[in-house]
Amino acid sequence: GSAGQSFGAFLAAGITFELEGECNDYFGKGLSGGKLIVYPPQNSQFRPQNNLIIGNVSLFGATSGEAYINGMAGERFAVRNSGAIAVVEGIGDHGCEYMTGGVIVILGKTGINFGAGMSGGIAYVLDQDQLFDTKCNLEMIDVEPVINKTDHKRLYTLIRNHVKYTGSIYAERILKDWNEILPQFVKVMPIDYKRALERIKKEQSKDTEVVSLTEEVY
């Protein structure tokens, strides 16, 4: 059926809410480790990837957990998300605004001003019309191809989970034509966040070298 405001708000780890229908604003507000699954009624005739199924400001302030949304979300999706993982088939304006952590996969179009104030986390976006960068707020983020094998594996796994939980035909087709569609994905990452991760990786590499040398000496 139709859920109202704040469906699954502050949902704790170990709890799953599954909704066949639609819901209003603040879906998954403050999600805290639980799992949210939403998909259209089985007898619906519309294409989920072209229609809203949840309202505005979804996953606001989420800290952890997962969300799988077979359809589009409204505006300000994942605003201030600090750790949740989500797959959605399209969003409105101001996506991932002030996001500080987590992973978001968007299998369709986005609105304008994507990534404004985004300082952490990663977003993968299916950019089939190659216009996504014109909809981004590039002040703090980079948009780059998805070329790393770790990214490939993470992205594939999340989309596969999306199919498993929501039965999305659209996502299933993406997996079926994976080799052709993968190059159409882009990765969004905050510039400073990326630099910080690279710096940490270098420091860890140095520590590993020191340990190896020490072992050789002794």
Side-chain angles (χ1 to χ4, degrees):
S2 183
Q5 303 273 6
S6 302
F7 179 79
F10 308 107
L11 194 67
I15 304 174
T16 297
F17 280 6
E18 183 171 341
L19 172 65
E20 180 181 340
E22 60 181 1
C23 64
N24 215 317
D25 301 340
Y26 292 102
F27 168 92
K29 177 177 67 177
L31 184 66
S32 301
K35 183 183 294 179
L36 291 171
I37 302 165
V38 58
Y39 47 85
Q42 297 296 326
N43 60 354
S44 63
Q45 299 298 314
F46 60 84
R47 294 182 178 180
Q49 67 269 27
N50 297 331
N51 291 271
L52 289 173
I53 194 168
I54 60 175
N56 299 321
V57 205
S58 299
L59 299 179
F60 173 77
T63 61
S64 57
E66 303 170 68
Y68 299 93
I69 302 134
N70 185 5
M72 294 182 64
E75 296 183 358
R76 305 193 78 184
F77 182 79
V79 59
R80 296 194 182 280
N81 174 37
S82 64
I85 296 170
V87 182
V88 63
E89 301 190 356
I91 63 170
D93 297 339
H94 315 296
C96 298
E97 187 178 30
Y98 302 117
M99 182 167 144
T100 61
V103 179
I104 302 297
V105 177
I106 303 168
L107 303 178
K109 295 181 179 180
T110 70
I112 60 171
N113 200 37
F114 186 94
M118 182 179 177
S119 60
I122 298 171
Y124 301 99
V125 182
L126 182 57
D127 184 22
Q128 290 182 304
D129 57 11
Q130 298 185 330
L131 294 174
F132 174 68
D133 60 335
T134 67
K135 301 175 182 178
C136 289
N137 186 321
L138 296 171
E139 184 176 347
M140 296 177 64
I141 61 173
D142 269 341
V143 180
E144 57 188 47
V146 182
I147 56 177
N148 186 285
K149 289 185 178 180
T150 300
D151 288 319
H152 292 178
K153 184 177 180 179
R154 177 193 291 148
L155 183 56
Y156 186 92
T157 299
L158 289 175
I159 298 173
R160 184 181 61 193
N161 288 345
H162 183 64
V163 173
K164 174 183 175 183
Y165 293 127
T166 71
S168 172
I169 296 174
Y170 173 63
E172 191 173 24
R173 288 172 181 164
I174 290 174
L175 295 181
K176 184 178 179 181
D177 299 324
W178 182 245
N179 291 333
E180 290 72 30
I181 293 182
L182 178 59
Q184 299 176 32
F185 277 95
V186 294
K187 180 181 179 181
V188 181
M189 202 170 183
I191 298 168
D192 289 342
Y193 180 64
K194 181 179 179 181
R195 289 172 180 167
L197 291 178
E198 290 174 346
R199 187 163 57 248
I200 291 171
K201 188 175 181 180
K202 287 181 181 179
E203 291 299 324
Q204 290 175 338
S205 178
K206 289 180 181 178
D207 291 342
T208 301
E209 291 176 2
V210 169
V211 170
S212 296
L213 289 171
T214 304
E215 290 175 346
E216 289 178 7
V217 170
Y218 290 98

